[in-house]
Amino acid sequence: TQRMSLENQLRMPDMELTSNLLPQAHAAHQIDSQWIRYRHDAPLSPSQFITALSIRLNVLPPHLNLCGTRCRCGTLFTSTSQQISHSLLCDKACSISKTLRHNRVRDAVAATTRAFGIATTVEPTIYAYDDLVAHRPDLLFNVGTTGYATDFTIVEPDPTPGKAAAAADKTKVKAHMKAVSAKGHTFIPGAMETYGLIGPGLTNLVQSLSKFVLPQESIEFIQDMFSAIAIAAAAGRADVLLATASSRF
C-alpha cells in the first residue's frame, strides 16, 4: 500500500496543526515540565500522561479528537487547539469542574508540606473579613512562631506569558492580605495559569516555606512542591479532555 504523504498526514483532523495557535501553544505558557518527572506517590496514569502530553503539543489522538462535533454548551469544535482551549474553560464541557482541578492543586500542596513536617490546615476559619462573610484562604502553614496563608487560583492565560497569573496574584492579595495580616500571619498568593505557568506568588510561597524544613531537605522540598503542583494541574487538564471525549460516546 502506498504510504500517505507527510503533507496529507498533517492535514488529518487528529494531527491538525495551525499557524494561528492559541496561547497554550506557546512554550512560555507551559513551563510545568516537572510533571514529566516520575513520582511513585503521585504518578500520572498512562492515559493521563498521553493526554497531558497531547495538550502540551497541541495535537490530539483520534480517540480524543472531537472536531466537527459540539460541546454541551453548543459550541462547535473546529480545530484541536480550539477544542483544547474551549474544553478547559467551559463549565459544561464535562463533569470535571474548575473547582475540582483547583482542589487537586490545593490538596497536592498540603500533602507535600505535611510530608516535610509543616503543619498545614485546609481552609482555615480563623480570619475575620471586613464584609463579615466567612472567606477562607485555601491553606494555612503553621511555621516557626507565625503562619503563612495562601489561596490558589488557576486562570486563563493572557497572550503575554505570566500576565494573567500576576494579575490574579494582586486580586488574591486584595481579598486576603488585610484579614491574614490582622492575625500576624503572612499572606502569599498562589496563582497559576491554565496550561501550567506558575505565577510569581506561588514561586515565592514555595521558596519561603523551604526555609522552614531541614536545611538538607530544602532542595528536595522545592523540587517536590513544584512537581506536586505541576502533576496535579496536568492531571486535571488531562481528565477534562478525557471526560469531554468519553461523554460523546
Side-chain angles (χ1 to χ4, degrees), residues 110-161:
T112 304
T113 53
R114 287 167 178 163
F116 281 86
I118 296 176
T120 304
T121 303
V122 177
E123 296 188 353
T125 58
I126 63 172
Y127 302 115
Y129 291 79
D130 290 340
D131 59 6
L132 303 181
V133 176
H135 299 287
R136 294 171 294 181
D138 283 319
L139 296 175
L140 169 62
F141 308 99
N142 297 288
V143 291
T145 58
T146 183
Y148 282 76
T150 191
D151 200 55
F152 300 107
T153 185
I154 303 174
V155 295
E156 180 182 359
D158 184 90
T160 301

Side-chain angles (χ1 to χ4, degrees), residues 63-208:
H63 68 285
L64 295 180
N65 192 296
L66 300 176
C67 290
T69 67
R70 293 184 181 275
C71 174
R72 288 176 173 176
C73 72
T75 299
L76 178 67
F77 293 132
T78 58
S79 68
T80 53
S81 59
Q82 181 256 3
Q83 179 190 331
I84 292 169
S85 177
H86 180 84
S87 298
L88 292 175
L89 297 175
C90 180
D91 291 328
K92 296 182 179 181
C94 69
S95 60
I96 308 297
S97 67
K98 295 176 184 176
T99 299
L100 177 59
R101 288 153 56 197
H102 161 278
N103 290 348
R104 282 181 172 179
V105 173
R106 178 201 66 193
D107 295 344
V109 170
T112 304
T113 53
R114 287 167 178 163
F116 281 86
I118 296 176
T120 304
T121 303
V122 177
E123 296 188 353
T125 58
I126 63 172
Y127 302 115
Y129 291 79
D130 290 340
D131 59 6
L132 303 181
V133 176
H135 299 287
R136 294 171 294 181
D138 283 319
L139 296 175
L140 169 62
F141 308 99
N142 297 288
V143 291
T145 58
T146 183
Y148 282 76
T150 191
D151 200 55
F152 300 107
T153 185
I154 303 174
V155 295
E156 180 182 359
D158 184 90
T160 301
K163 184 176 181 179
D169 276 346
K170 292 180 181 179
T171 300
K172 289 296 183 182
V173 167
K174 184 177 180 180
H176 296 286
M177 180 68 80
K178 184 177 179 180
V180 172
S181 297
K183 283 288 186 180
H185 295 170
T186 300
F187 179 79
I188 302 178
M192 64 185 301
E193 298 181 2
T194 302
Y195 300 96
L197 190 149
I198 293 173
L202 190 46
T203 300
N204 182 26
L205 176 68
V206 174
Q207 296 287 349
S208 297

Side-chain angles (χ1 to χ4, degrees), residues 30-48:
Q30 305 183 60
I31 56 175
D32 64 334
S33 59
Q34 283 286 340
W35 61 266
I36 297 175
R37 184 166 71 92
Y38 177 76
R39 286 189 58 177
H40 70 279
D41 56 332
L44 294 171
S45 69
S47 61
Q48 287 176 323

